[in-house]
Amino acid sequence: MVEQQREPTRRPPTSEPAAGPARHGETGAAGLAATVDRLSAEIRALREDREARVLVELAQGILVERLNCSPAEAARQLQRLASDARMALPELAAEIVNQAAPDATARAVAEARAAQATPGTGPTAEEKTSGPQDGGAALRLRTAEAAAILAGDDAQALARALLDRALRPLGATAAAVWSAAPDGSLTLAGEAGFGPAEAARWRYVPPGLGTPAQQAITEDRTLWITESGEALPPTIGGGSSGTRAIVPAQGGGQWVGVLEVHWPGAHPTLALQRQLDALAQLCALSLSDHGMESGGPPGGAAAWLVGLLDGLLDSAALLRPVRDRDGRITDFMIEHTNERFTDPAGRPRGSLTGLPLLEAYPLFAGEGGLFERIKRVHSTGAPYRSQSTVLRFPGSPAPPAVVAVVGLARFGDVVLLSWRLPEGDARLADLLEHAQRVCRIGAFEESLTTGEITWTEQLFTLYGLPPGAAPVPLHQLSGHAHPDDTGAVGRFLRTVLHQREESAITFRLRRADGVVRHLRVVAEPLCDASGLLVAVRGAYQDISPHHWTEVALAATRDRLAGAEQQAAERRRLARQLQRAIMPPTAHPVYKAGLRVAVRYRPAEEDQRVGGDWYDAVVLPDGRVLLTVGDIAGHGIGAATGMIVLRNALRGLAITGAEPGRLLSWLNSVACCLTEQVTATVVCGLFDPAARTLRWANAGHVPPVLVSHGKAEALTPPDGVLLGAVDAASYGETRHELQRQDILLMYTDGLIERRDSSMEQALEQLLAAASRPEDDLEDYLDHLLSCDIADTDDDTCLIAVQPT
């Protein structure tokens, strides 16, 4: 696997003192200050390097998904694209992330670029030095996003990152992040640029003070305030002239905080609203993840709240909201239940923890039900208590209503739910009925002395009989069974009624409505003191779902076996296609002044059949087309993609166009396929009269030229891999071949290794290729025997020598 190359760690300017003791003359406080400055610069450089790595890793993940390739291939492709575009790696990564994520940040970048393109609204002087011609919006905002990811729920680190990465290049000098509580109070979660003394003064803002941050939440809009030093609303750093932007931050359908930004002069001419909205969204994510208790695990309930819950005498649970992508609450997760919690459906409390509320209690979702009340308490923060809340729990098709005492209260982002249910024999009977209904069990008792038969309600349902119908006696059971099961039913009845032993049987019941159910019956004989059989007790259980599950599993196993056979057939077909198009060549081929020898080594495993190919064709103008290519992926898709590109390149070469133009056309073919493919190709045209080779490269490993016993890798011209972008141009280069020179063209299966980089493996190939043999065939066998690669991948190797 190719090792990922990273941006070199940025170092402080060379004017900074070097690591180690203070320089000569720097003693005491001056030397200590110089050391502190140096260490601070190194910390800043390390922080910037971490942020750049996060941004690059996000872009690599996008390439892995878009190109369906490995992380190593994505890293290699990202570096190649950055080199081709002459852009820094973080800058290109920001552009890729921005194009792949249609979020608030992407909209802000688009607006910034549109404003820059409008005459008279170009970037400021600060923006011109911060990035590309669009004012650096993409790099600034995506770097700020990476810093927010690293900051996690540390709002203080987030405030510093937003100011340094996104706002200071636009002229801002200070930023504050406020956390909003349901009662209208504010807490200063983080600040940068205002100073510790001012931050201490504004650590907490009580409700109703009327600060700009509170006003922005109340009015649901961004406020722009021009400060003149008089009659200003109270806020952090108030009294200084300049401009402030106060942007409310919403998360999960509620206001969670405010971003406040200060400029020393008039506010910038660029339209910054979308950029500020994107930064406020980052603040909302950080504040939402901050947790209910400082230092507590993000998303987990505070320890004091769990302790409070466990101390309650009623059933109580903590409910945390579940939100969709737009932040709307769709359900509540049961995060914790106390030891006194009792489920009316009879389930243990441990089985409910972690379940969505509407999955555990779906009847709460009725109009005006408990679920709507819980959402209202979460959105308003106002507690709720009722002595007579009507609840319906899972049970029969028409479950009876339960009048319970219910209490609700919000603590941070969670809601505490407690209820007190009626107790007594009726409740136990409801639980037993529920258990029978859920397990599809019906109980019976039949007196053999009086003939009285007692059935539970569920047993009538299993037999398909209406309540109140005459129960079926045991001795008539054979008449209701499937004919193939009557013998087994007879043996079951003899065991229970004559041998007086407990017994069980599984049989098919034919109901009067034509439905056939698979039932299991367990019966126990009851005898008096003298040993006389007086009654039989037992239960029926409907196991039809279990039976049909077994049938479905058997069918699934059959389908899996068929799928495996089909996959094996596809691999065999791919291997046959590959061998039909790429037959092994036993002897050198002489074409138009060239001696051409090839070796093709397919993958050992059929599922690794790839799309490597080579070609050597004499064109009508006398030149020789030499190509080697590699389709990304394996299997039948790679084999068919190889056939399409190989034949397309043959047809395009008839036009007489040069290699760069041929690869540009071939890239259009790759992009227009029904299933887009990506491939690397090196394409050359050899002129036998002039003994010159013109060649172009589409992201392929460079050819090797062996001349006078020395092998060197040729420097490839510019060109991205085929299928990466819709329109691409490819450069060309020219080399003159002497009579004894050897040109090697190959695929990466010859040198790819898991334990070293591609550059190290290429050096091993150059060392092996520097010792040519007289016979070209023996020479290729020698290169293959070196076993430079350690991966099971296809390998194409072609050697060309002028004659």
Side-chain angles (χ1 to χ4, degrees):
M1 181 179 294
V2 179
E3 292 183 346
Q4 177 181 340
Q5 297 183 1
R6 295 176 174 170
E7 287 272 300
T9 303
R10 302 179 214 169
R11 299 298 181 188
T14 54
S15 58
E16 300 276 0
R23 294 176 299 179
H24 179 69
E26 293 181 337
T27 59
L32 181 59
T35 301
V36 170
D37 290 342
R38 172 180 55 80
L39 294 177
S40 299
E42 291 180 354
I43 292 174
R44 287 194 300 271
L46 290 174
R47 187 182 300 117
E48 293 173 2
D49 185 60
R50 289 180 62 200
E51 295 165 358
R53 286 202 301 270
V54 169
L55 196 56
V56 170
E57 288 168 359
L58 288 174
Q60 290 177 3
I62 293 172
L63 291 182
V64 168
E65 190 273 335
R66 294 292 174 85
L67 300 180
N68 192 23
C69 62
S70 67
E73 292 170 338
R76 189 188 315 159
Q77 178 63 13
L78 186 63
Q79 293 161 5
R80 185 179 297 117
L81 290 174
S83 176
D84 293 342
R86 303 182 185 278
M87 298 172 66
L89 200 57
E91 185 179 342
L92 177 62
E95 290 294 331
I96 293 176
V97 173
N98 200 60
Q99 293 179 15
D103 54 3
T105 301
R107 293 190 292 271
V109 173
E111 184 174 271
R113 289 176 174 172
Q116 191 273 340
T118 303
T121 60
T124 62
E126 293 85 357
E127 291 176 306
K128 290 180 179 179
T129 62
S130 66
Q133 295 303 314
D134 61 356
L139 183 59
R140 283 189 291 101
L141 294 179
R142 292 302 176 185
T143 303
E145 189 177 46
I149 294 174
L150 293 173
D153 60 351
D154 187 351
Q156 178 63 31
L158 175 64
R160 289 196 302 266
L162 294 183
L163 180 62
D164 294 338
R165 304 291 177 266
L167 296 171
R168 201 182 297 278
L170 298 177
T173 57
V177 177
W178 300 95
S179 175
D183 61 356
S185 64
L186 297 176
T187 302
L188 185 62
E191 63 82 27
F194 289 109
E198 190 70 2
R201 292 180 56 227
W202 290 91
R203 183 59 57 192
Y204 175 77
V205 179
L209 187 61
T211 65
Q214 291 171 323
Q215 183 181 354
I217 292 179
T218 303
E219 298 179 4
D220 187 14
R221 66 184 181 93
T222 299
L223 300 181
W224 288 90
I225 300 177
T226 301
E227 300 174 343
S228 59
E230 58 184 45
L232 293 176
T235 187
I236 184 173
S240 58
S241 61
T243 302
R244 289 179 187 264
I246 298 93
V247 190
Q250 190 177 56
Q254 62 181 344
W255 298 113
V256 297
V258 179
L259 172 63
E260 186 168 345
V261 186
H262 176 260
W263 284 269
H267 85 78
T269 57
L270 280 178
L272 298 179
Q273 185 61 55
R274 285 199 183 274
Q275 297 191 45
L276 294 177
D277 289 344
L279 297 178
Q281 186 63 32
L282 294 179
C283 296
L285 294 175
S286 178
L287 294 174
S288 298
D289 292 340
H290 193 269
M292 296 175 52
E293 181 181 57
S294 178
W304 66 267
L305 184 55
V306 173
L308 172 64
L309 200 73
D310 290 337
L312 297 179
L313 299 179
D314 294 329
S315 296
L318 286 180
L319 308 178
R320 184 170 297 279
V322 177
R323 299 179 171 90
D324 58 15
R325 293 184 177 180
D326 297 327
R328 293 187 295 267
I329 295 178
T330 59
D331 204 343
F332 286 85
M333 186 70 67
I334 303 177
E335 187 169 282
H336 179 72
T337 56
N338 65 351
E339 295 181 359
R340 306 277 297 189
F341 185 86
T342 301
D343 176 40
R347 293 167 293 187
R349 54 185 287 261
S351 66
L352 298 175
T353 303
L355 283 181
L357 180 66
L358 294 183
E359 180 179 332
Y361 303 105
L363 298 179
F364 286 3
E367 184 176 356
L370 187 61
F371 180 72
E372 293 298 327
R373 177 62 63 180
I374 295 172
K375 288 179 61 176
R376 191 175 302 117
V377 169
H378 183 273
S379 62
T380 63
Y384 170 81
R385 181 176 176 84
S386 173
Q387 296 289 336
S388 57
T389 299
V390 178
L391 302 178
R392 293 184 182 273
F393 298 96
S396 61
V402 177
V403 179
V405 179
V406 174
L408 298 170
R410 174 180 168 181
F411 293 88
D413 196 39
V414 298
V415 175
L416 188 153
L417 164 66
S418 63
W419 62 47
R420 185 180 304 160
L421 302 174
E423 299 180 357
D425 295 339
R427 180 178 166 217
L428 294 177
D430 288 342
L431 290 177
L432 178 59
E433 180 184 356
H434 170 76
Q436 293 178 351
R437 186 168 48 251
V438 170
C439 299
R440 300 173 180 266
I441 295 177
F444 71 91
E445 179 175 326
E446 182 174 344
S447 174
L448 301 182
T449 57
T450 64
E452 181 183 2
I453 302 175
T454 302
W455 275 13
T456 62
E457 179 182 352
Q458 187 64 22
L459 193 50
F460 286 97
T461 303
L462 295 181
Y463 265 83
L465 300 175
V472 178
L474 277 179
H475 67 272
Q476 297 181 9
L477 187 60
S478 298
H480 294 267
H482 190 278
D484 294 342
D485 297 335
T486 55
V489 172
R491 290 190 294 272
F492 163 74
L493 294 177
R494 287 193 295 273
T495 301
V496 176
L497 300 177
H498 299 287
Q499 299 177 13
R500 303 176 187 179
E501 296 178 359
E502 181 180 343
S503 182
I505 184 179
T506 299
F507 72 103
R508 286 166 289 180
L509 174 72
R510 295 191 305 173
R511 301 193 331 190
D513 55 6
V515 176
V516 176
R517 310 296 296 177
H518 291 258
L519 299 184
R520 176 177 173 80
V521 185
V522 178
E524 175 187 20
L526 299 178
C527 301
D528 59 11
S530 62
L532 179 66
L533 180 64
V534 295
V536 177
R537 287 178 180 174
Y540 290 76
Q541 183 178 15
D542 187 355
I543 61 171
S544 300
H546 176 71
H547 169 76
W548 293 118
T549 299
E550 291 183 343
V551 172
L553 287 176
T556 301
R557 285 192 293 268
D558 293 341
R559 287 195 299 271
L560 287 176
E564 291 178 357
Q565 182 178 2
Q566 184 179 12
E569 184 65 21
R570 287 174 61 87
R571 291 194 295 267
R572 185 187 64 80
L573 177 59
R575 177 70 74 189
Q576 289 179 348
L577 282 174
Q578 189 183 57
R579 291 174 178 171
I581 299 301
M582 307 295 299
T585 303
H587 303 288
V589 178
Y590 293 87
K591 294 177 182 278
L594 282 179
R595 182 171 54 169
V596 182
V598 299
R599 286 292 184 273
Y600 181 74
R601 182 173 60 189
E604 294 180 2
E605 301 180 8
D606 284 343
Q607 59 267 27
R608 297 286 296 173
V609 172
D612 292 15
W613 92 84
Y614 62 88
D615 207 355
V617 180
V618 180
L619 302 178
D621 60 4
R623 294 183 298 174
V624 180
L625 173 68
L626 302 171
T627 59
V628 171
D630 185 2
I631 299 288
H634 300 87
I636 189 71
T640 56
M642 175 265 289
I643 296 172
V644 171
L645 294 187
R646 182 173 183 264
N647 293 339
L649 185 56
R650 278 192 171 191
L652 293 171
I654 299 296
T655 64
E658 296 301 325
R661 178 60 62 88
L662 292 177
L663 290 187
S664 179
W665 290 339
L666 194 62
N667 177 68
S668 299
V669 173
C671 292
C672 294
L673 292 178
T674 302
E675 294 184 2
Q676 186 178 11
V677 299
T678 57
T680 62
V681 179
V682 59
C683 174
L685 289 174
F686 176 73
D687 185 352
R691 288 186 181 173
T692 58
L693 176 73
R694 293 180 63 86
W695 64 287
N697 188 38
H700 200 75
V701 288
V704 172
L705 179 63
V706 183
S707 180
H708 303 293
K710 181 180 179 181
E712 62 175 343
L714 301 181
T715 302
D718 295 337
V720 299
L721 80 167
L722 301 181
V725 293
D726 292 340
S729 59
Y730 296 86
E732 297 179 0
T733 188
R734 175 179 174 277
H735 286 87
E736 183 175 352
L737 301 183
Q738 302 301 321
R739 180 177 298 275
Q740 297 301 322
D741 291 349
I742 298 176
L743 179 69
L744 297 177
M745 302 167 69
Y746 54 95
T747 58
D748 57 3
L750 181 65
I751 61 174
E752 193 172 34
R753 295 189 62 85
R754 300 183 181 91
D755 58 353
S756 62
S757 66
M758 189 71 78
E759 289 75 11
Q760 293 173 331
L762 182 58
E763 292 178 0
Q764 298 181 36
L765 174 62
L766 294 178
S770 298
R771 298 187 296 274
E773 300 188 16
D774 295 336
D775 184 74
L776 202 58
E777 294 292 307
D778 294 340
Y779 181 52
L780 294 187
D781 292 336
H782 163 68
L783 294 180
L784 290 176
S785 66
C786 292
D787 289 333
I788 300 174
D790 65 352
T791 59
D792 180 21
D793 201 357
D794 289 359
T795 300
C796 274
L797 177 60
I798 179 171
V800 178
Q801 187 176 43
T803 60

